[in-house]
């Protein structure tokens, strides 16, 4: 009898025990030697503390994810020393710096990165957002890039932050949405101070966005000939009050047209409904994501959206300033209105003291439920002088989806204990083992906290997965905007192929679906932006499937 009970308990534990989530910092071992540069001179220029982003991409299309890191430079003079860094994945967990050989050693005060095949030629192109002129680099297909900014006419000279490629009009060509922040130059800089008892004169600090005028976001329509046209005003997207820092793609009304959710710093957030006629309407106030639950605009930075409960609903997460909870706006299936469910999801109080920039939804343990990763870090290096319990460098948060509507922060248990001044973050399977690894960029005001981090996913047991790469034909080649549904023994999951999200960063374009212990996916369905639907049945787990638009048997 005792033997039977022991066997029963062992079987129960095998079925019900959660996977042990573990991430390992492999930055040094992988050969990543990047330290973010801000150009700080002691004048406390506002851009110094806001950057920058990171990205996973396969720039040479060899099947291995490479790493791209935005970087700052000097704000008042041309400096060719500091530039973005591109690391090529050479296999076996190793990366090599190929920035100069790829033609990307170009000085710019970098903020964000967006990756997509805007010219539909089967390789990824790069759009850098900057303090000053943005840059578009076309992939030449030979491991090099050419700066085509002037020809393409997308060199917005504002202070730009996050950006996203998406097909606004479903014509098969990717357009660009660019977040812009505030009106700032070194010449118009406003000195800000903080009053500390006993200190005269009061020390200078980094300003809040309240002291500057906002800038409107920009929308560039792809003409299909390598050039773009600024359609911001015609599309209804001109709004200078935004002070925008993050953008995510979604289809919250499920009408087949990609919408935009935009995180604004100290101003109401935007939720732009795509009207399907080349115009957009901001419905953030009416739909419930413009403000906090108390009706206040928050210091919003990073943003992401997903169906986290696998029920057809939509969740929008937004990282906010310290002493402001991370937003977790949830709209139930068949209910277009959002309410902030941060407290109900056990995210609110846990996130209260963190200052969250980048965040993203991903399935850290391949159990079929999307989790939430957040990178944190304050904007003021000396914040502890006047806020005793608020650190400058902060560890990340990893909110594990418990599958019952609540989340649990397991960052410490998962080995994510190193504090940093987190800004951007992205996910991708750089080692091709099926689970999702993490890339984190840190701000460089203080050297110890400014290094980028590559975090390898070593979670056990190795649950099953299905990875899906969309290749459009009538739709844009990257399949951005395609809705992919995977049905398995545990239900239905849906994700959208996207760019943008997080903060100034870009995750890989391949979608990863955790299958837990299911050895097959009963059905794979892709709803393309063109309206085409492809369906595949009984796909074995633990593989990457390339799905080409229109290729399934009808």
């Amino acid at each position: 009898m005792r033997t039977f009970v022991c066997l029963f308990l062992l079987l129960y534990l095998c079925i019900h025990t959660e996977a042990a989530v573990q991430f390992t910092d492999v930055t040094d071992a992988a050969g990543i030697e990047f330290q973010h540069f801000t150009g700080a001179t002691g004048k406390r220029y506002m851009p110094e503390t806001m950057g920058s982003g990171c990205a996973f991409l396969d720039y040479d299309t060899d099947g291995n994810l490479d790493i791209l890191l935005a970087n700052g430079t000097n704000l008042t003079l041309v400096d060719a020393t500091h530039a973005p860094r591109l690391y090529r994945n050479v296999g076996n967990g190793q990366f090599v710096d190929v920035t100069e050989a790829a033609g990307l050693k170009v000085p710019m005060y970098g903020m964000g990165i967006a990756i997509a095949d805007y010219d539909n030629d089967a390789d990824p192109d790069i759009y850098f957002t900057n303090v000053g002129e943005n840059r578009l680099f076309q992939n030449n297909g030979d491991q090099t890039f050419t700066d085509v900014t002037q020809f393409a006419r997308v060199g917005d000279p504002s202070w730009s932050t996050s950006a996203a490629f998406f097909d606004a009009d479903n014509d098969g060509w990717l357009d660009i949405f660019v977040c812009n922040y505030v009106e700032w130059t070194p010449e118009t800089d406003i000195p800000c101070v903080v009053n500390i008892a006993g200190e005269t004169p009061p020390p200078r600090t980094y300003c809040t966005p309240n002291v500057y005028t906002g800038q409107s976001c920009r929308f560039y329509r792809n003409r299909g000939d390598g050039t773009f046209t600024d359609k911001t005003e015609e599309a209804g997207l001109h709004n200078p009050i935004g002070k925008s820092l993050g953008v995510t793609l979604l289809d919250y009304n499920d009408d087949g047209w990609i919408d935009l959710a935009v995180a604004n710093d100290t101003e109401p957030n935007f939720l732009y409904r795509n009207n399907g006629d080349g115009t957009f309407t901001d419905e953030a106030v009416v739909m419930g994501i413009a403000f906090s639950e108390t009706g206040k605009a928050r210091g919003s930075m990073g943003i992401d959206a997903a169906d986290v409960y696998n029920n057809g609903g939509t969740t929008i997460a937004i990282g906010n300033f310290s002493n402001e909870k991370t937003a977790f706006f949830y709209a139930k299936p068949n209910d277009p209105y959002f309410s902030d469910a941060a407290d109900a999801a056990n995210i609110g109080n846990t996130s209260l003291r963190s200052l969250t920039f980048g965040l993203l939804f991903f399935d850290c343990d391949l159990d079929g439920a999307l989790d939430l990763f957040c990178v944190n870090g304050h904007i003021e290096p000396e914040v502890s002088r006047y806020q005793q319990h608020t650190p400058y460098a902060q560890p990340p948060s990893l909110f594990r989806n418990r599958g019952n509507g609540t989340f649990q922060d397991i960052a410490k248990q998962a080995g994510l204990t190193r504090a940093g001044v987190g800004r951007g973050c992205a996910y991708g399977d750089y080692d091709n083992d099926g689970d999702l690894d993490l890339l984190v960029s840190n701000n460089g005001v203080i050297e110890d906290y400014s290094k980028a981090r590559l975090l390898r996913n070593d979670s056990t047991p190795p649950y099953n997965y299905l990875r899906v790469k969309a290749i459009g034909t009538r739709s844009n080649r990257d399949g951005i905007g395609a809705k992919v549904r995977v049905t398995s023994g545990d239900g239905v999951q849906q994700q959208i192929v996207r760019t943008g999200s997080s903060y100034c960063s870009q995750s890989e374009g391949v979608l990863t679906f955790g299958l837990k212990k299911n050895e097959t996916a009963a059905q794979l369905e892709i709803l393309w932006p063109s309206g085409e639907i492809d369906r595949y049945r009984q796909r074995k787990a633990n593989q990457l499937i390339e799905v080409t638009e229109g290729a399934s048997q009808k």
Side-chain angles (χ1 to χ4, degrees):
M1 181 66 181
R2 181 177 299 173
T3 301
F4 174 79
V5 171
C6 290
L7 289 173
F8 176 81
L9 288 174
L10 181 61
L11 178 61
Y12 178 87
L13 289 173
C14 288
I15 294 173
H16 295 279
T17 299
E18 293 180 330
V21 178
Q22 185 67 39
F23 285 88
T24 304
D25 188 336
V26 295
T27 310
D28 294 337
I32 306 297
E33 298 177 346
F34 176 81
Q35 186 167 305
H36 180 247
F37 180 76
T38 69
T41 62
K43 293 184 178 180
R44 291 291 207 267
Y45 285 156
M46 193 176 180
E48 296 169 359
T49 194
M50 297 300 291
S52 58
C54 58
F56 279 117
L57 76 163
D58 185 5
Y59 88 101
D60 53 0
T61 65
D62 67 350
N64 295 316
L65 283 178
D66 311 299
I67 287 174
L68 182 62
L69 300 159
N71 200 9
T73 187
N74 288 301
L75 282 160
T76 56
L77 52 88
V78 176
D79 175 15
T81 305
H82 304 282
R85 296 281 286 276
L86 175 64
Y87 288 92
R88 181 173 182 263
N89 187 338
V90 296
N92 299 318
Q94 297 296 303
F95 291 80
V96 175
D97 187 342
V98 295
T99 310
E100 190 165 3
L104 294 179
K105 192 176 182 180
V106 179
M108 60 185 97
Y109 203 94
M111 291 294 296
I113 301 168
I115 309 291
D117 183 8
Y118 81 91
D119 50 4
N120 289 334
D121 67 349
D123 50 34
D125 310 297
I126 302 170
Y127 189 67
F128 288 103
T129 60
N130 301 308
V131 180
E133 185 183 43
N134 299 335
R135 299 289 186 91
L136 177 63
F137 286 85
Q138 184 182 49
N139 194 322
N140 299 321
D142 60 359
Q143 299 186 31
T144 68
F145 292 85
T146 298
D147 187 339
V148 295
T149 307
Q150 298 305 315
F151 174 74
R153 294 183 292 186
V154 291
D156 191 334
S158 307
W159 177 354
S160 300
T161 53
S162 298
F165 285 96
F166 75 117
D167 190 354
D169 49 6
N170 289 345
D171 67 347
W173 296 97
L174 291 172
D175 312 299
I176 309 175
F177 181 87
V178 181
C179 292
N180 283 331
Y181 194 37
V182 297
E183 295 277 1
W184 180 92
T185 66
E187 294 74 26
T188 61
D189 180 71
I190 299 173
C192 294
V193 298
V194 59
N195 292 314
I196 301 177
E199 293 199 25
T200 304
R204 182 158 180 182
T205 187
Y206 287 106
C207 293
T208 69
N210 295 318
V211 305
Y212 292 103
T213 302
Q215 294 181 313
S216 177
C217 298
R218 284 283 174 266
F219 171 65
Y220 297 102
R221 185 177 183 273
N222 191 332
R223 300 178 62 185
D225 60 359
T227 67
F228 293 77
T229 302
D230 187 336
K231 292 286 188 180
T232 308
E233 293 198 17
E234 294 92 325
L237 294 170
H238 184 269
N239 192 339
I241 71 165
K243 303 179 182 178
S244 303
L245 289 177
V247 57
T248 190
L249 309 182
L250 72 166
D251 184 7
Y252 69 94
N253 55 357
D254 201 28
D255 65 353
W257 297 91
I258 288 296
D259 311 304
L260 303 166
V262 180
N264 292 321
D265 192 357
T266 70
E267 300 290 346
N269 300 316
F270 300 146
L271 181 61
Y272 286 117
R273 186 191 71 218
N274 189 332
N275 299 319
D277 60 2
T279 68
F280 293 78
T281 301
D282 182 12
E283 295 190 331
V285 173
V286 120
M287 292 299 171
I289 77 157
F291 304 102
S292 70
E293 67 275 15
T294 60
K296 294 182 178 180
R298 292 180 279 197
S300 300
M301 274 77 74
I303 186 170
D304 200 4
D307 177 7
V308 301
Y309 298 127
N310 296 332
N311 62 2
T314 301
T315 298
I316 301 173
I318 303 176
N320 293 313
F321 208 78
S322 55
N323 297 314
E324 296 176 341
K325 302 171 184 176
T326 291
F328 197 79
F329 296 108
Y330 174 54
K332 298 177 182 178
N334 304 314
D335 182 355
Y337 299 101
F338 291 85
S339 58
D340 196 337
D343 288 339
N346 291 339
I347 289 174
N349 289 333
T350 306
S351 64
L352 183 60
R353 293 194 178 276
S354 299
L355 198 164
T356 300
F357 272 82
L359 53 71
L360 53 83
F361 288 115
F362 79 129
D363 191 351
C364 71
D365 50 5
L366 300 177
D367 68 348
L370 293 176
D371 312 293
L372 179 64
F373 178 68
C374 308
V375 292
N376 310 311
H378 210 275
I379 64 167
E380 174 52 61
E382 299 182 25
V383 62
S384 60
R385 292 175 61 189
Y386 52 91
Q387 292 182 14
Q388 184 177 359
H389 301 293
T390 302
Y392 175 55
Q394 302 174 7
S397 307
L398 178 57
F399 293 100
R400 188 180 199 172
N401 190 335
R402 303 176 67 185
N404 61 359
T406 67
F407 290 74
Q408 179 184 7
D409 188 0
I410 61 166
K412 289 183 179 179
Q413 300 94 305
L416 300 171
T417 57
R418 182 192 294 268
V421 187
R423 294 298 181 258
C425 60
Y427 66 76
D429 181 17
Y430 84 90
D431 51 1
N432 292 324
D433 64 352
D435 56 26
L436 293 173
D437 312 297
L438 293 168
L439 180 64
V440 174
S441 60
N442 291 298
N443 184 262
V445 174
I446 294 180
E447 182 175 339
D448 290 346
Y449 304 126
S450 61
K451 293 182 179 179
R453 297 292 173 187
L454 178 61
L455 307 172
R456 187 182 65 208
N457 192 331
D458 291 328
S459 301
T460 56
Y463 281 151
N464 296 326
Y465 62 88
L466 187 68
R467 285 171 52 80
V468 181
K469 180 180 180 180
I471 302 174
T473 52
R474 290 172 55 200
S475 303
N476 65 87
R477 196 183 189 282
D478 282 343
I480 293 168
K483 299 175 183 176
V484 181
R485 296 188 182 98
V486 171
T487 304
S488 67
D490 292 317
V492 180
Q493 303 174 53
Q494 176 177 284
Q495 297 183 40
I496 298 177
V497 181
R498 299 175 302 154
T499 63
S501 300
S502 185
Y503 172 76
C504 292
S505 298
Q506 177 71 65
S507 295
E508 70 169 326
V510 173
L511 300 181
T512 297
F513 295 88
L515 298 179
K516 212 165 186 179
K517 295 187 177 181
N518 294 291
E519 296 182 355
T520 61
Q523 180 171 279
L524 169 64
E525 179 182 271
I526 305 96
L527 174 59
W528 298 91
S530 66
E532 180 90 27
I533 299 177
D534 283 302
R535 294 186 179 91
Y536 301 87
R537 296 192 179 277
Q538 295 301 323
R539 297 293 151 176
K540 290 184 179 180
N542 302 328
Q543 63 170 320
L544 168 64
I545 296 178
E546 292 188 353
V547 290
T548 301
E549 184 176 11
S552 68
Q553 295 181 351
K554 303 297 190 286

